[in-house]
Amino acid sequence: MYSTLTRKIIALLLVLQTLLLGVQAKNRIQQGDSTIEVMIWLINQYFPVLQRVKTLEDDEKKVK
């Protein structure tokens, strides 16, 4: 379904999104949010990322 280049670009963008979420979490802690609040927020932010990864894996299995 996706070309190799497209899959690599999507993977790179997902890694970038993960890094940016980490930066955002660090900023929230520095602004005074509790660590537990930030962890809950971070987990909620990662669900869509994990769903995208799962979709990509499923699509790749269908192609093979």
Side-chain angles (χ1 to χ4, degrees), residues 17-50:
Q17 183 177 6
T18 301
L19 290 172
L20 291 174
L21 285 172
V23 170
Q24 256 185 311
K26 183 178 177 183
N27 288 341
R28 289 178 69 123
I29 290 172
Q30 289 176 345
Q31 291 173 358
D33 287 358
S34 74
T35 306
I36 298 296
E37 282 180 69
V38 174
M39 286 303 298
I40 292 169
W41 173 84
L42 197 54
I43 290 168
N44 287 327
Q45 298 304 308
Y46 278 127
F47 280 125
V49 174
L50 294 173

